[in-house]
């Protein structure tokens, strides 16, 4: 059974029902609830019971309405009125006998409301005014911020609660997960370590393993995840993460054993199957990888994920066979033509065949703009520069709010040595799409190519300020600061965050290594540069960095290896590399 983070929510059935309701289309004003006939006034206790029963009755009717769907006899207006009646009845109960559980139920009534979670949040805050130390009200309040993508607010809520209740282990686990999801891995690990070792649940240890892995603490991650699995052998997510960490540690046998055991427990679990496919491709066993694909779920998402793995590892024939699974029901989706074009181009070196496939992607299909961009790239590689530019211009006309075609035109100009044209295309895009991060990033890179680094860095700083999770911008600023040998502490923060956002990006790992090197942290630099060359093994600059760091660590044999590979892959300053080799 697949498991996720499993905080137990002690909420009554009525609230749980509401969390599954579809968003209601507004609130009608007409009231249709049946009220008790006039007569002798009820006692306070009787009125309280009646209001609660009325609330539950309205909720049951709403549940039936949602379950029956189009078969429901209720109109949308009547369903809305049931919602209003339920809220009013619950408000009367809350006024007489407030409790945290009832506030949670009321918050649940508005969780999927068309106005967003603001009404739920207001209810939760009201409940916390009366019950300030209630754990579940606090957690739900934090979750309401998460739902609105206000992660920092959610984290602050949990920090404030734990300042008052530092021994609340469940809340500390939840905060650890929030910090991990926000990319604050080091902070998450610190929070989770405050839980006494004997009181850590399998979930807490699993999160620790995840963040340790994100931080490059491979051995610690494996130890934590093994402990989580020992505590709960059916903890599928922990098993998957453990196998992944074994992969990163190049212990492929252990990784394959775990993925195989997961499939034995749950044959249709797609993530484990995809991991096993990928692992067999790394082990140069494409036949087994293909069979695992053919035996997998027939969903488009699974098939395309598997096909992409075959393509990335240059097993094009097997990828083509897997792709044919998409046509098993007699229909041919646009993805089929798109990936066949990729295979024709990269696997068969037949750009004309690839263009033929791309011509079959309909203009009404969502993949059409991507097909246009691909066609432009193919024309460019064939030396048909004007045809490629014509497609970029057509793309701008069809999709004026899509950054990709301004970037495409800019890239084509840049490849043609026309940096002024590259700058002009990006500025045109930014006139329409103010402060777009991708256009701004590309313009900064163009300035770098033009020798206008200061302007490029200033632009990139604006991207970092307005889009603090833009990994490439973070990496650019951090690496540039390191190259200029200034603000190295800030540079390390920037590239470390970039790496947490894209942990398998070899170029960013190289930046982390290089900043550590500049700071004199040679052991850390050596650790990260080795991760980098595992991911990107043909970049001459990365291999030069490998050589420099190895030399600083006294690893002469490794330094020689790095410099020789830098030369092998065509370093732009071969004489400088030869001098470094001579000086070893």
């Amino acid at each position: 059974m697949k498991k996720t983070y499993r905080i137990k929510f002690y909420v009554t059935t009525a609230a749980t029902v509401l969390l599954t309701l579809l968003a209601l289309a507004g609130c009608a004003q007409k009231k249709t609830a049946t009220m008790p006939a006039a007569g002798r006034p009820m006692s306070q206790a009787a009125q309280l019971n009646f209001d609660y029963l009325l609330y539950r009755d309205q909720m049951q009717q709403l549940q039936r309405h949602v379950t029956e769907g189009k078969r429901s006899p209720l109109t949308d207006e009547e369903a809305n009125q049931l919602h209003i009646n339920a809220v009013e009845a619950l408000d009367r109960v809350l006024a007489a006998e407030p409790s945290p559980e009832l506030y949670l139920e009321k918050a649940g009534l508005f969780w999927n409301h068309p106005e967003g979670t603001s009404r739920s949040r207001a209810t939760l805050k009201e409940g916390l005014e009366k019950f300030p130390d209630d754990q579940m009200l606090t957690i739900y309040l934090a979750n309401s911020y998460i739902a609105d993508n206000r992660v920092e607010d959610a984290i602050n809520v949990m920090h404030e609660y734990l300042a008052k209740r530092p021994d609340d282990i469940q809340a500390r686990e939840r905060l650890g997960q929030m910090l991990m999801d926000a990319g604050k891995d080091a902070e998450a690990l610190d929070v989770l370590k405050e839980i006494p070792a004997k009181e850590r649940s399998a979930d807490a240890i699993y999160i620790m393993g995840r963040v340790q892995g994100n931080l490059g603490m491979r051995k610690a991650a494996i130890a934590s995840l093994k402990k989580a699995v020992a505590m709960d052998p059916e903890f599928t997510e922990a098993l998957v993460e453990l196998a992944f960490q074994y992969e990163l540690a190049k212990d492929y046998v252990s990784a394959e054993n775990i993925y195989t055991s997961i499939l034995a427990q749950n044959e249709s679990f797609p993530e484990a199957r995809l991991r096993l496919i990928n692992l067999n491709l790394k082990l140069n066993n494409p036949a087994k990888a293909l069979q695992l694909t053919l035996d997998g779920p027939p969903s488009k998402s699974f098939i395309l994920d598997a096909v992409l793995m075959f393509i990335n590892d240059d097993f094009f024939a097997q990828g083509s066979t897997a792709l044919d699974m998409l046509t098993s029901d007699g229909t041919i989706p646009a993805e089929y033509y798109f990936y066949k074009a990729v295979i024709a181009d990269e696997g068969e070196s037949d750009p004309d065949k690839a263009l033929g496939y791309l011509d079959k992607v309909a203009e009404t299909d969502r993949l059409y703009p991507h097909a246009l961009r691909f066609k432009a790239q193919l024309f460019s590689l064939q030396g048909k520069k004007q045809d490629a530019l014509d497609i970029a211009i057509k793309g701008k006309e069809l999709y004026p709010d899509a950054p990709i075609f301004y970037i495409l035109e800019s890239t084509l100009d840049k490849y043609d040595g026309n940096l002024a044209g590259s700058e002009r295309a990006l500025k045109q895009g930014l006139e329409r799409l103010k402060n777009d991060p991708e256009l701004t990033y590309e313009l900064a890179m163009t300035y770098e190519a033009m020798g206008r680094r200061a302007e490029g860095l200033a632009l990139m700083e604006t991207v970092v300020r307005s889009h603090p999770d833009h990994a490439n911008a973070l990496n650019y600023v951090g690496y540039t600061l390191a190259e200029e040998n200034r603000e190295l502490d800030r540079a390390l923060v920037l590239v470390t965050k970039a790496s947490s956002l894209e942990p398998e990006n070899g170029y960013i790992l190289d930046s982390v290594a290089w900043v550590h090197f500049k700071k004199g942290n040679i052991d850390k630099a050596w650790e990260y540069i080795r991760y980098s060359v595992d991911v990107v093994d043909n970049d001459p600059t990365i291999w030069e960095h490998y050589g420099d760091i190895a030399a600083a660590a006294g690893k002469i044999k490794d330094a020689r290896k790095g410099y020789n590979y830098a030369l092998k892959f065509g370093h732009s300053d071969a004489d400088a590399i030869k001098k470094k080799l001579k000086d070893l």
Side-chain angles (χ1 to χ4, degrees):
M1 174 181 176
K2 184 180 178 183
K3 299 185 181 181
T4 57
Y5 190 73
R6 298 163 294 173
I7 284 181
K8 298 179 178 64
F9 292 98
Y10 297 102
V11 186
T12 58
T13 304
T16 305
V17 166
L18 260 294
L19 289 174
T20 65
L21 289 177
L22 298 176
L24 298 171
C27 294
Q29 296 301 313
K30 178 183 174 185
K31 296 186 179 181
T32 59
T34 302
M35 301 302 291
R40 188 172 62 187
M42 289 187 285
S43 68
Q44 184 177 0
Q47 182 67 51
L48 191 64
N49 286 333
F50 171 79
D51 285 332
Y52 189 72
L53 290 172
L54 175 62
Y55 156 66
R56 294 300 299 272
D57 173 70
Q58 305 299 282
M59 293 309 307
Q60 288 169 2
Q61 291 186 59
L62 267 176
Q63 183 183 13
R64 283 197 300 273
H65 172 68
V66 172
T67 302
E68 292 171 357
K70 292 182 179 180
R71 296 181 289 105
S72 172
L74 296 179
T75 65
D76 286 342
E77 184 181 42
E78 289 169 335
N80 289 337
Q81 188 59 53
L82 288 172
H83 187 268
I84 291 171
N85 297 341
V87 173
E88 290 177 347
L90 187 55
D91 277 342
R92 290 192 292 271
V93 178
L94 274 167
E97 288 192 11
S99 72
E101 292 76 18
L102 289 177
Y103 277 110
L104 284 172
E105 293 206 29
K106 184 179 177 182
L109 286 166
F110 294 106
W111 194 261
N112 291 319
H113 197 275
E115 297 175 12
T117 60
S118 59
R119 296 185 69 177
S120 279
R121 189 153 49 245
T123 297
L124 293 164
K125 288 181 176 179
E126 182 184 337
L128 283 167
E129 287 178 4
K130 290 185 169 62
F131 306 97
D133 293 334
D134 186 80
Q135 181 203 67
M136 294 314 300
L137 286 172
T138 301
I139 289 176
Y140 264 85
L141 178 60
N143 287 344
S144 77
Y145 285 121
I146 293 287
D148 286 345
N149 201 30
R150 294 170 58 182
V151 179
E152 290 297 332
D153 289 324
I155 290 170
N156 289 337
V157 166
M158 299 304 297
H159 273 306
E160 290 172 7
Y161 173 80
L162 284 168
K164 297 180 290 184
R165 300 283 297 276
D167 296 330
D168 191 326
I169 292 172
Q170 191 178 63
R172 192 168 295 281
E173 284 185 17
R174 180 69 181 119
L175 175 58
Q177 186 188 34
M178 287 180 184
L179 290 165
M180 177 187 71
D181 292 341
K184 299 175 181 288
D185 294 306
E187 193 175 339
L189 189 57
D190 288 342
V191 165
L192 293 167
K193 281 182 175 179
E194 292 182 34
I195 301 174
K198 292 182 179 179
E199 298 182 48
R200 292 172 191 163
S201 67
D203 292 297
I205 296 169
Y206 161 69
I207 298 168
M208 289 181 72
R210 285 276 306 275
V211 299
Q212 286 165 335
N214 292 343
L215 292 167
M217 303 165 61
R218 203 76 61 217
K219 290 182 179 179
I222 289 172
S224 294
L225 292 164
K226 286 175 69 175
K227 187 172 182 180
V229 170
M231 293 172 69
D232 185 350
E234 295 184 1
F235 196 163
T236 306
E237 287 191 353
L239 281 166
V240 170
E241 185 66 25
L242 176 58
F244 179 57
Q245 292 299 327
Y246 275 131
E247 274 192 71
L248 294 177
K250 298 190 180 302
D251 185 350
Y252 297 131
V253 173
S254 296
E256 184 174 20
N257 288 339
I258 292 173
Y259 289 136
T260 303
S261 71
I262 293 170
L263 286 180
Q265 294 176 17
N266 185 355
E267 190 172 311
S268 63
F269 189 50
E271 185 177 353
R273 186 175 291 273
L274 286 169
R275 295 280 198 187
L276 194 51
I277 291 166
N278 189 46
L279 184 59
N280 275 279
L281 292 177
K282 286 182 179 178
L283 295 172
N284 199 30
N285 193 352
K288 184 174 180 181
L290 179 58
Q291 191 59 54
L292 284 163
T293 304
L294 297 175
D295 291 341
S299 69
K300 182 192 290 187
S301 61
F302 170 80
I303 294 168
L304 291 178
D305 283 343
V307 168
L308 193 57
M309 289 178 180
F310 285 110
I311 290 173
N312 286 340
D313 283 342
D314 296 336
F315 292 107
F316 298 103
Q318 291 83 357
S320 184
T321 300
L323 192 58
D324 290 338
M325 294 169 67
L326 287 178
T327 66
S328 60
D329 63 355
T331 61
I332 303 180
E335 289 87 351
Y336 175 84
Y337 296 121
F338 191 87
Y339 281 97
K340 281 288 187 180
V342 173
I343 291 169
D345 176 48
E346 296 185 15
E348 301 169 17
S349 299
D350 191 341
D352 290 327
K353 184 177 179 181
L355 286 166
Y357 279 122
L358 293 171
D359 283 338
K360 295 181 181 181
V361 178
E363 190 168 327
T364 55
D365 196 273
R366 66 177 184 82
L367 278 180
Y368 186 70
H370 302 287
L372 278 181
R373 181 172 58 171
F374 193 0
K375 288 173 73 173
Q377 291 168 346
L378 291 171
F379 281 135
S380 178
L381 291 171
Q382 289 179 317
K384 300 176 181 178
K385 302 293 184 184
Q386 192 56 52
D387 289 338
L389 279 170
D390 288 344
I391 287 179
I393 292 167
K394 178 182 179 180
K396 289 195 300 183
E397 292 171 353
L398 290 174
Y399 308 99
D401 292 328
I404 61 170
F405 292 103
Y406 301 100
I407 294 171
L408 175 60
E409 182 181 3
S410 168
T411 302
L412 292 169
D413 281 331
K414 190 182 294 184
Y415 284 160
D416 208 28
N418 182 8
L419 293 176
S422 175
E423 177 186 6
R424 185 169 55 250
L426 294 168
K427 284 186 171 180
Q428 181 190 14
L430 284 166
E431 285 176 10
R432 184 175 183 92
L433 304 167
K434 304 292 185 185
N435 302 318
D436 180 85
E438 298 308 322
L439 289 169
T440 306
Y441 174 83
E442 292 295 335
L443 182 56
M445 294 299 290
T446 298
Y447 284 150
E448 174 84 13
M450 297 170 80
R452 296 157 61 182
R453 173 177 281 187
E455 293 175 75
L457 183 59
L459 268 183
M460 210 69 82
E461 290 278 18
T462 68
V463 178
V464 169
R465 286 194 296 272
S466 58
H467 295 83
D469 288 339
H470 194 296
N472 286 329
L474 292 165
N475 181 56
Y476 177 95
V477 175
Y479 183 78
T480 301
L481 292 174
E483 282 288 271
E484 297 178 356
N485 208 31
R486 62 187 179 90
E487 298 182 56
L488 294 178
D489 288 340
R490 179 175 179 243
L492 185 59
V493 170
L494 294 172
V495 296
T496 301
K497 182 175 182 182
S499 186
S500 72
L501 293 167
E502 295 188 13
E504 296 307 304
N505 186 318
Y507 295 97
I508 295 177
L509 288 167
D510 169 67
S511 295
V512 177
W514 198 238
V515 176
H516 276 301
F517 174 71
K518 290 286 187 173
K519 286 174 63 66
N521 304 331
I522 304 303
D523 288 344
K524 275 291 183 184
W526 180 240
E527 176 184 351
Y528 278 98
I529 198 65
R530 285 183 295 160
Y531 293 151
S532 178
V533 295
D534 278 346
V535 181
V536 180
D537 61 2
N538 60 356
D539 186 279
T541 300
I542 292 178
W543 279 113
E544 180 188 10
H545 290 168
Y546 183 98
D548 289 347
I549 293 167
K555 302 177 184 294
I556 305 305
K557 182 179 178 181
D558 289 307
R560 189 172 289 110
K561 170 185 173 181
Y563 295 141
N564 280 324
Y565 274 122
L567 290 171
K568 175 183 176 181
F569 294 117
H571 197 283
S572 59
D573 191 351
D575 289 341
I577 301 301
K578 289 175 182 177
K579 185 177 185 308
K580 289 183 178 184
L581 271 169
K582 185 178 179 181
D583 292 341
L584 286 175

